[in-house]
């Protein structure tokens, strides 16, 4: 019998990391829409 296992993680970025992640997501959305 095979056992499946999963892990759950929560990101807790700092304020500078949040800004960078939002900027990256916005760039990806822009490129995708082009």
């Amino acid at each position: 019998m095979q056992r499946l296992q999963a892990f759950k993680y929560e990101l807790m970025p700092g304020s500078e990391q949040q800004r960078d992640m939002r900027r990256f997501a916005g760039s990806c959305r822009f490129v995708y829409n082009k």
Side-chain angles (χ1 to χ4, degrees):
M1 181 178 197
Q2 187 178 6
R3 181 178 158 201
L4 300 177
Q5 188 172 6
F7 296 95
K8 194 175 196 179
Y9 296 97
E10 180 181 358
L11 296 177
M12 298 180 73
S15 60
E16 187 174 331
Q17 288 176 322
Q18 280 183 346
R19 189 190 72 221
D20 291 341
M21 290 168 76
R22 285 194 179 113
R23 185 177 293 166
F24 179 74
S27 299
C28 290
R29 188 170 54 246
F30 176 79
V31 170
Y32 177 80
N33 288 332
K34 278 290 180 183

